[in-house]
Amino acid sequence: MTALQSAILLLVTNLGLLWLLMRVPLGRRTICLSRTYQCSPDILWNAMNPAGSEASWHHSVISSRALANRRGIVEQTYQHLDKNGAPSRRLLALEPLPSVAKNAQGFQARIIDDSTLDPSFWNDYRERRIIRPTPDGALLEVEQTDRYRGLAFLMFRYFVLRREMKALDGWLKTGESLPQGHFERPWVQGGLAVVSTLLLWPFFGLDAGGLMLSTFLTLVVVLHELGHMAAYRMFGHASVRMIFVPLLGGIAIGGRPYRSLFEVATCALMGAGMSAFVVPILAVAAQLSDAGLLPVASRGPLLIFMLILGAFNLLNLLPMHRFDGGQVLRQIFRTRRSQIAASFVVTLCILGIGFEVGLPANMLTAGLLVFTLVSLVSGGSVKPRQMLEEMRDGERMLVAFGLYAAIAVHGYAIIFATEKLF
């Protein structure tokens, strides 16, 4: 398989996975889980009923109480923060279950207000919980119904519910609810990075060179996401984490929603911004290798890493909808006409770098089409409850120069490495 065929196969694979995870129309789906607990039905009901005496048993719930002035409405406060750094709040409308058995207890609920997300996000969401007595204790049945587009959020909801039911078992036995699962832990994410490297290896050839390329690509993804995480920390996020998705790359996640458009733009730009600091170091190292001050054998790997680093980050700065470049431009330019003009200029700059290194026009056009498709299938954005703070002129100019610098530095990395290698 040639390098071009491998690249096409990898892109097609990524497109298919992205479509399945983010865009495949699933319609209304219901998650159903049940578990038997060794406790009385009344104890379990007091924990599951949002207005019950033990409704705040879960470690992520601060309080859950019925509103005295609004019949059937419960206010829940969570440890998760809103954009102002305050605990997030939700209002639940509780409804009785008309068809539940006489010896069972249950409720169905819908979310009518949310301090973090726009209420339209919850239009199709319904939750139903039933507790039935059993000879060994009590059976909890949970159903969550919503409208889904893509498998990712459906899978996320399923595992969150499983963790909740496991945490409930721990609380019933010890009186303490603890976070469940190991997926977000660094050693698990490190393992997923290794798995991603091994999955990428066949696309580059099952030899030492192919393993080097897949390893370099994984390292570039990690460095890119570390840039996003550093920006989150700079803006005061109490917790940040990286989720590594084999084949598809990584996702940096902050500890709260964005507060301002400047924060959105800066956090998006810092993925490429962090990597830009490595480019001069790699260029100097390559020059030292040419001068005999570093081992000659290190010259090739250094230049290949530099080329992968520049290409990955430069392509990520394309002004596509879900790419970092598109995120940055939408915050700098607020009108449709100015966004189109800016996108055209940025795309021309990146295409010009492609021409400079000798890529044919048909390959550049096909690549641009592929990345446009990737942008379209990577999902839509979630509307926040409150409008984000607008950027001031100084902030807008700062981000614009940062975008220009990131494109220039990574463009230089590609041109420098290509000239040295070829």
Side-chain angles (χ1 to χ4, degrees), residues 81 85 232-241 253-256 259:
L81 304 180
Y232 286 136
R233 283 293 193 184
M234 181 182 66
F235 281 100
H237 289 241
S239 62
V240 296
R241 59 191 185 276
I253 302 175
R256 58 163 175 76
R259 289 176 180 166

Side-chain angles (χ1 to χ4, degrees), residues 118-139:
D118 188 86
S120 61
F121 178 83
W122 302 104
N123 282 346
D124 298 303
Y125 179 82
R126 299 293 184 273
E127 184 172 341
R128 172 185 172 124
R129 301 196 176 206
I130 301 175
I131 297 168
R132 307 182 191 275
T134 67
D136 298 328
L139 174 67

Side-chain angles (χ1 to χ4, degrees), residues 280-299 302-303 416 420:
I281 299 173
L282 294 173
V284 171
Q287 298 281 21
L288 292 176
S289 179
D290 288 340
L293 298 177
L294 286 178
V296 177
S298 65
R299 180 179 183 274
L302 284 171
L303 292 172
F416 179 89
K420 292 285 187 179

Side-chain angles (χ1 to χ4, degrees), residues 336-383:
R336 184 69 173 171
R337 181 176 297 179
S338 61
Q339 288 175 6
I340 292 173
S343 299
F344 183 74
V345 171
V346 170
T347 303
L348 280 181
C349 290
I350 295 176
L351 290 177
I353 295 169
F355 279 116
E356 178 65 24
V357 298
L359 294 178
N362 56 352
M363 182 180 293
L364 291 172
T365 303
L368 192 60
L369 177 60
V370 168
F371 280 99
T372 302
L373 291 175
V374 171
S375 175
L376 292 175
V377 303
S378 59
S381 57
V382 177
K383 185 179 179 182

Side-chain angles (χ1 to χ4, degrees), residues 135-333:
D136 298 328
L139 174 67
L140 172 63
E141 299 175 357
V142 181
E143 296 180 3
Q144 288 183 351
T145 301
D146 206 348
R147 188 175 299 277
Y148 295 95
R149 191 172 184 89
L151 289 169
F153 195 47
L154 178 64
M155 295 167 60
F156 171 78
R157 283 254 179 90
Y158 171 79
F159 285 108
V160 166
L161 189 54
R162 281 193 57 178
R163 288 185 178 187
E164 179 189 343
M165 298 181 83
K166 187 176 180 180
L168 176 61
D169 186 54
W171 176 79
L172 290 170
K173 291 177 179 177
T174 66
E176 184 180 8
S177 169
L178 297 174
Q180 303 296 313
H182 305 284
F183 183 73
E184 295 89 351
R185 297 191 177 183
W187 62 270
V188 174
Q189 292 305 312
L192 288 175
V194 173
V195 170
S196 182
T197 301
L198 296 177
L199 289 175
L200 289 169
W201 188 7
F203 292 98
F204 298 109
L206 288 171
D207 52 21
L211 182 59
M212 180 186 70
L213 291 176
S214 63
T215 302
F216 282 173
L217 182 55
T218 300
L219 291 175
V220 165
V221 171
V222 171
L223 183 61
H224 181 92
E225 299 306 326
L226 285 175
H228 292 310
M229 294 170 69
Y232 286 136
R233 283 293 193 184
M234 181 182 66
F235 281 100
H237 289 241
S239 62
V240 296
R241 59 191 185 276
M242 182 192 304
I243 303 297
F244 216 93
V245 185
L247 283 181
L248 296 180
I251 305 170
I253 302 175
R256 58 163 175 76
Y258 294 115
R259 289 176 180 166
S260 66
L261 299 181
F262 180 65
E263 183 179 349
V264 176
T266 305
C267 290
L269 185 58
M270 272 301 292
M274 175 73 80
S275 300
F277 286 102
V278 182
V279 171
I281 299 173
L282 294 173
V284 171
Q287 298 281 21
L288 292 176
S289 179
D290 288 340
L293 298 177
L294 286 178
V296 177
S298 65
R299 180 179 183 274
L302 284 171
L303 292 172
I304 291 172
F305 183 75
M306 190 177 183
L307 180 60
I308 294 174
L309 180 77
F312 178 88
N313 286 282
L314 194 65
L315 291 174
N316 204 262
L317 291 174
L318 279 168
M320 307 302 178
H321 178 65
R322 298 297 294 173
F323 284 25
D324 290 340
Q327 291 267 32
V328 173
L329 287 181
R330 285 200 304 277
Q331 317 315 318
I332 299 174
F333 302 98

Side-chain angles (χ1 to χ4, degrees), residues 33-54:
L33 289 178
S34 63
R35 183 165 180 166
T36 300
Y37 297 92
Q38 295 180 348
C39 67
S40 71
D42 289 336
I43 292 177
L44 192 56
W45 172 247
N46 286 332
M48 288 298 97
N49 179 12
S53 58
E54 301 290 344

